[in-house]
Amino acid sequence: MSQPSVVLATASYDHTIKFWEAKSARCYRTIQYPESQVNRLEITPDKRFLAAAGNPHIRLFDINSNSPQPLRSFDSHTNNVMAVGFQCDGNWMYSGSEDGTVKIWDLRAPGCQREYESRAAVNTVVLHPNQTELISGDQNGNIRVWDLRANSCSCELVPEVDTAVRSLTVMWDGSLIVAANNRGTCYVWRLLRGTETMTNFEPLHKLQAHDGYILKCLLSPELCEPNRYLATASSDHTVKIWNVDGFTLEKTLIGHERWVWDCVFSVDGAFLITASSDTTARLWSTSTGKDIKVYQGHHKATICCALHDGPEPSS
């Protein structure tokens, strides 16, 4: 199989992962995933592999193969894996689980290399652009910074006691972090470098974005500059696009008929892909707020999506 320039994948409660041609909305490959639901999908920086976070495993699939079998399985979590992502060179992977742990996996070695204990179900983990800090959010409302060099928790804060942090996102330049919770609120902090390189959080804004849950929040990528957007996907069936300058509402994306679980920007921020309980994924223009394509093929809720339409990192 030739390497597709745009890799778009979705996963659903129907126990399948589907790969789509972004422009034609044609599904060209379906992987059966019988053993559990898939909570999160992530594509490696080199576009070669897709990680699927399930319960309690993470499976790595070859994007350029037709094999239904995973290349590798990562097994030491004991509950739903809710977060997965890759270091910028693709050398290691991180994960967060409802078992209360954050783990690091070297893709070139067997087993799990590091484990951090959050003491509550982990819903979301992001890697700081400096590649040396992981930031996790959990069901009890805690946000923790894990310093990978010191191998310890360097900072913790609780924006709202006993309100689950559902999603975290960091600006590509490390200047901002946003935490979205079960009450439809986004907390925004400036990230300041302390004397020791430790990240400090300076409160910047509190945004009441939705009446329902926010299931995913996402800041726009570097190539979207000078525009900076925050996307919030909600149980109220909408996705909202906010201008980070003042956190004013730019667009409300209306079209999904049920909860919107996930969203991902195109590399230049001009488009957004969303995944919904209405079984579809959609492609939207961020400038017009209109949907351009509907990806139909799953027969149960579509829970997560992954997109890689940028260049591979130069070696």
Side-chain angles (χ1 to χ4, degrees):
M1 280 177 69
S2 64
Q3 172 95 5
S5 62
V6 176
V7 179
L8 169 59
T10 57
S12 162
Y13 282 155
D14 66 12
H15 292 284
T16 67
I17 298 167
K18 290 184 179 288
F19 289 89
W20 306 84
E21 288 174 358
K23 287 196 174 92
S24 70
R26 183 181 78 88
C27 173
Y28 64 87
R29 181 184 176 193
T30 300
I31 296 171
Q32 302 296 324
Y33 202 96
E35 54 265 59
S36 80
Q37 69 195 53
V38 175
N39 302 305
R40 184 68 56 211
L41 292 172
E42 196 68 46
I43 297 161
T44 54
D46 61 10
K47 289 192 200 174
R48 289 177 58 202
F49 307 111
L50 176 77
N55 185 1
H57 318 281
I58 304 162
R59 304 266 197 259
L60 199 65
F61 292 93
D62 188 341
I63 287 172
N64 302 310
S65 144
N66 281 321
S67 168
Q69 298 307 316
L71 287 172
R72 245 186 104 175
S73 182
F74 300 86
D75 315 302
S76 73
H77 281 300
T78 57
N79 205 328
N80 262 318
V81 182
M82 301 301 289
V84 66
F86 295 96
Q87 177 254 359
C88 63
D89 297 325
N91 293 333
W92 50 268
M93 177 175 76
Y94 59 87
S95 61
S97 165
E98 288 181 345
D99 67 15
T101 65
V102 173
K103 293 180 189 264
I104 290 182
W105 314 79
D106 187 325
L107 296 182
R108 299 155 300 184
C112 162
Q113 275 62 47
R114 290 195 195 176
E115 179 176 309
Y116 301 105
E117 191 63 56
S118 187
R119 302 189 295 282
V122 175
N123 292 327
T124 176
V125 183
V126 288
L127 176 62
H128 190 290
N130 64 21
Q131 309 293 306
T132 62
E133 292 169 306
L134 285 172
I135 307 167
S136 65
D138 71 27
Q139 196 64 20
N140 291 357
N142 305 297
I143 296 170
R144 293 195 174 90
V145 180
W146 307 95
D147 183 331
L148 305 183
R149 286 169 303 193
N151 212 17
S152 65
C153 178
S154 61
C155 174
E156 53 187 284
L157 68 160
V158 184
E160 219 171 306
V161 176
D162 290 335
T163 303
V165 176
R166 288 304 289 251
S167 184
L168 291 167
T169 179
V170 181
M171 186 59 84
W172 63 269
D173 61 1
S175 61
L176 288 182
I177 183 165
V178 181
N181 72 19
N182 266 357
R183 294 189 180 160
T185 311
C186 285
Y187 287 87
V188 187
W189 296 269
R190 277 201 188 92
L191 287 182
L192 303 174
R193 278 273 167 237
T195 47
E196 292 299 306
T197 73
M198 197 188 89
T199 293
N200 294 311
F201 289 67
E202 179 188 275
L204 179 65
H205 196 76
K206 181 180 172 184
L207 174 69
Q208 192 55 45
H210 297 267
D211 291 333
Y213 303 130
I214 300 175
L215 303 168
K216 172 81 175 219
C217 64
L218 189 63
L219 287 161
S220 56
E222 181 177 0
L223 294 179
C224 189
E225 296 288 324
N227 297 317
R228 293 189 160 196
Y229 299 119
L230 171 70
T232 55
S234 172
S235 61
D236 69 11
H237 308 183
T238 71
V239 178
K240 292 182 180 177
I241 309 278
W242 307 85
N243 192 323
V244 170
D245 182 19
F247 292 93
T248 51
L249 181 62
E250 289 272 325
K251 291 282 179 284
T252 302
L253 311 186
I254 297 169
H256 281 301
E257 291 164 20
R258 289 203 174 159
W259 291 22
V260 187
W261 286 96
D262 199 5
C263 62
V264 58
F265 279 105
S266 63
V267 70
D268 60 359
F271 302 98
L272 191 76
I273 302 259
T274 56
S276 167
S277 293
D278 66 12
T279 75
T280 70
R282 288 174 189 255
L283 172 70
W284 308 80
S285 160
T286 47
S287 60
T288 67
K290 299 285 183 269
D291 60 340
I292 300 164
K293 288 283 174 216
V294 181
Y295 304 93
Q296 285 176 303
H298 287 298
H299 55 265
K300 286 189 180 170
T302 303
I303 296 303
C304 49
C305 51
L307 174 71
H308 190 335
D309 62 330
E312 295 83 59
S314 51
S315 51

